[in-house]
Amino acid sequence: MLKGTIVKGIGGFYYVDTEGGIYECRARGKFRKEKITPLVGDYVEISVIDESKKTGSLDEILPRKNMMIRPKVANVDQVIIVFAAVIPDINADLLDRFLVLAEMQSINAVICINKIDLDKDEKYKKYIEIYERAGYRIIAVSALESINTEELKKIFEGKITAFAGPSGVGKSSIANILNPDINAQTGDVSRKIERGKHTTRHAELMQIFENSYIVDSPGFTSLSIEDILSEELENYFPEFKPYLGGCYFTGCSHIKEPDCRVKEHVGDEIPQERYDRYLTFYDELKNVYRERKK
Ligand code: GDP
Ligand code: ZN
């Protein structure tokens, strides 16, 4: 018996990365009977059928920690959301959408600002301040000049990390720092993400170092947060959490109501920019709902 992680699943075969290498496995019949589909990211037990051909049978799926929705991947520990300090400039609206998507799926989000070598005025520092205040881990790096890249690597250790962010920000360059074989193995992460927008594609884990994998996450390139009800949005801004339930009105939307605990803290614990984004998203979600009712 060997334990390992499913890194790829195609046409009924599961590729399981173990201490002894990667085995091509078929799942036992009991999974189909129990209507359980093994997922990429699942930690599993296999038995070897033929060592020379590296084939095996997938016997057990160990309990899942969580499941990312798009693409379906089990046990994702975190998503790293990459933006560039400049070229292209940080799109904070998009960043906040990614963060909301991560919160919705209960996946821990880490923000990475790349290309700080180009940001002579250190404009990126403003974002460090905002997102740290909101409670996020945010790291500023330069993939090109190897600034803070050792610290960045540590974030990936022992984890399954999903990659998100627009194209051109340096995701492939970062993947290349983590493991130079990655781009050679797979083309590049961002091109794969581009493709993922248009086709249903099989998710695949790419090993960067021992017990550490990355997965591209096309789900995070779709900006639609419209599946959320406007009333739920407050739950996806972690810095609001200490104040929820404390407002005078039950069901307070934290917009125009008097005696609102959230509004009281805008500008200090709650960064103004983040609150403004809450208003934008709230409005958007209300409109989606109105359109649907028509
Ligand atoms: P992706 O589309 O997100 O995968 O971005 P790439 O990794 O392909 O990078 C886009 C461009 O930015 C390439 O020309 C890279 O050489 C460049 N680039 C990536 N990281 C850095 C960096 O830290 N500093 C600078 N100056 N350029 C970078
Ligand atoms: Zn309120």
Side-chain angles (χ1 to χ4, degrees), residues 247 252 254 260-261:
C247 305
C252 179
H254 323 302
C260 168
R261 293 291 90 76

Side-chain angles (χ1 to χ4, degrees), residues 247 249 252-255 257 259-263:
C247 305
F249 288 103
C252 179
S253 66
H254 323 302
I255 300 174
E257 297 90 336
D259 258 336
C260 168
R261 293 291 90 76
V262 170
K263 268 194 297 179

Side-chain angles (χ1 to χ4, degrees), residues 9 25 28 31 39 43 45 56 61-62 83 92 114 141 143 166 199 252 254-255 264-265 276 278:
C25 301
R28 284 204 181 279
F31 294 116
L39 290 179
Y43 195 49
E45 290 176 359
I61 300 175
L62 298 166
F83 277 86
N114 186 32
V141 307
T199 53
C252 179
H254 323 302
I255 300 174
E264 268 171 29
H265 293 274
D276 292 344
Y278 169 80

Side-chain angles (χ1 to χ4, degrees), residues 139-249:
I139 178 169
V141 307
S142 164
L144 197 76
E145 305 277 335
S146 298
I147 304 171
N148 282 346
T149 44
E150 285 310 308
E151 199 188 333
L152 179 67
K153 275 188 189 170
K154 287 199 195 108
I155 291 176
F156 290 83
E157 270 168 17
K159 298 207 161 85
I160 298 180
T161 304
F163 250 86
S167 62
V169 297
K171 294 183 298 300
S172 313
S173 311
I174 290 170
N176 199 51
I177 287 178
L178 298 171
N179 180 345
D181 293 338
I182 293 277
N183 290 349
Q185 270 171 31
T186 60
D188 78 38
V189 188
S190 62
R191 298 301 101 70
K192 288 188 74 185
I193 289 174
E194 286 295 311
R195 270 208 313 276
K197 276 186 198 167
H198 308 291
T199 53
T200 38
R201 208 179 33 77
H202 295 282
E204 185 178 336
L205 297 188
M206 293 168 269
Q207 186 172 34
I208 45 173
F209 21 81
E210 212 184 311
N211 292 324
S212 312
Y213 303 88
I214 56 176
V215 57
D216 47 330
S217 35
F220 279 87
T221 52
S222 100
L223 314 178
S224 134
I225 53 169
E226 59 187 51
D227 297 334
I228 313 173
L229 294 172
S230 50
E231 306 86 80
E232 292 171 359
L233 186 63
E234 60 180 22
N235 300 313
Y236 306 132
F237 283 75
E239 68 270 47
F240 289 14
K241 261 180 204 145
Y243 316 112
L244 298 180
C247 305
Y248 180 77
F249 288 103

Side-chain angles (χ1 to χ4, degrees), residues 26-38 45 57-62:
R26 278 203 176 276
R28 284 204 181 279
K30 67 171 185 183
F31 294 116
R32 193 172 312 152
K33 261 180 242 150
E34 293 168 14
K35 295 203 166 48
I36 297 168
T37 312
E45 290 176 359
S57 127
L58 199 166
D59 300 333
E60 290 296 339
I61 300 175
L62 298 166

